[in-house]
Amino acid sequence: MFYQIWVALLYLYGIILNSIYQCPEHSQLTTLGVDGTELPEVHLGQWYFIAGAAPTKKELATFDPVDNIVFNMAAGSAPMQLHLRATIRMKDGSCVPRKWIYHLTEGSTDLRTEGRPDMKTELFSSSCPGGIMLNETGQGYQRFLLYNRSPYPPKKCVEEFKSLTSCLDSRAFLVTPRNQEPCELSNN
């Protein structure tokens, strides 16, 4: 009798705990368009890097000296290709330009970075208006990155991102300070 009561109490405790600490779900975005050859235009254009999360601080260390980053995603010159340009405003005020080429993976939501065969990028929706979340995995690392169309999304967006990524085993969290003006994106 005592055993059955104990099992019932543990069961009820589990149900209550699960309902209180339930992790929100995230729905994966489709990276391929209707014709299966390109990213939908809604994902193209200018994005601001807002925050990152990872299992350890080491996976976010590359962002420690960063004040802000602005990106532009455009359709590539070849089918199934995206061009990503960025300017990184460092905390010391300097601007660092960067370029990447992503290749869409046919029949998948994965993006592959040219020159980095070990790296995989997946796009996810964000509950934040104008937001998108990326999951980057590579050789020995995984990190989630939050981007937004606005350089200053509502604080609720960052809080939801932190809550979601903590449910996905991310213990380290970083928010870009965005204290300085973003660097101008070059056309080169």
Side-chain angles (χ1 to χ4, degrees):
M1 173 81 169
F2 177 73
Y3 176 77
Q4 291 173 334
I5 293 172
W6 181 247
V7 169
L9 284 174
L10 285 176
Y11 178 75
L12 287 174
Y13 176 74
I15 290 173
I16 292 169
L17 192 63
N18 190 36
S19 67
I20 293 172
Y21 294 107
Q22 191 172 25
C23 288
E25 291 186 23
H26 57 283
S27 58
Q28 193 168 15
L29 296 176
T30 293
T31 57
L32 301 179
V34 175
D35 63 1
T37 61
E38 61 186 43
L39 191 76
E41 286 189 25
V42 68
H43 297 82
L44 303 179
Q46 192 162 300
W47 295 94
Y48 296 90
F49 175 55
I50 306 300
T56 67
K57 287 184 178 186
K58 180 181 175 188
E59 292 152 306
L60 297 174
T62 190
F63 301 111
D64 285 342
V66 170
D67 181 78
N68 66 71
I69 306 174
V70 62
F71 291 89
N72 185 64
M73 188 177 298
S77 54
M80 306 286 286
Q81 190 181 81
L82 294 170
H83 288 199
L84 187 66
R85 290 182 297 112
T87 54
I88 303 166
R89 171 74 73 180
M90 305 304 283
K91 289 178 181 172
D92 69 6
S94 62
C95 294
V96 179
R98 291 278 191 255
K99 291 181 186 180
W100 299 266
I101 295 176
Y102 283 115
H103 295 276
L104 299 167
T105 306
E106 193 167 351
S108 171
T109 57
D110 297 351
L111 298 173
R112 297 291 178 170
T113 307
E114 190 169 283
R116 298 196 52 199
D118 64 309
M119 186 174 170
K120 179 176 91 170
T121 302
E122 297 173 284
L123 298 173
F124 294 89
S125 63
S126 169
S127 59
C128 181
I132 193 168
M133 188 173 84
L134 274 66
N135 179 20
E136 289 184 345
T137 53
Q139 200 165 21
Y141 77 93
Q142 175 181 3
R143 59 186 174 213
F144 292 94
L145 306 173
L146 177 66
Y147 295 87
N148 200 279
R149 295 291 189 181
S150 166
Y152 303 102
K155 288 184 181 183
K156 179 183 174 193
C157 296
V158 176
E159 291 166 5
E160 287 176 359
F161 173 74
K162 187 174 184 177
S163 173
L164 171 65
T165 55
S166 69
C167 288
L168 300 171
D169 294 327
S170 291
R171 303 290 174 247
F173 190 73
L174 171 136
V175 177
T176 55
R178 291 166 275 138
N179 294 326
Q180 304 175 48
E181 286 294 315
C183 299
E184 193 172 317
L185 271 169
S186 69
N187 290 327
N188 299 349

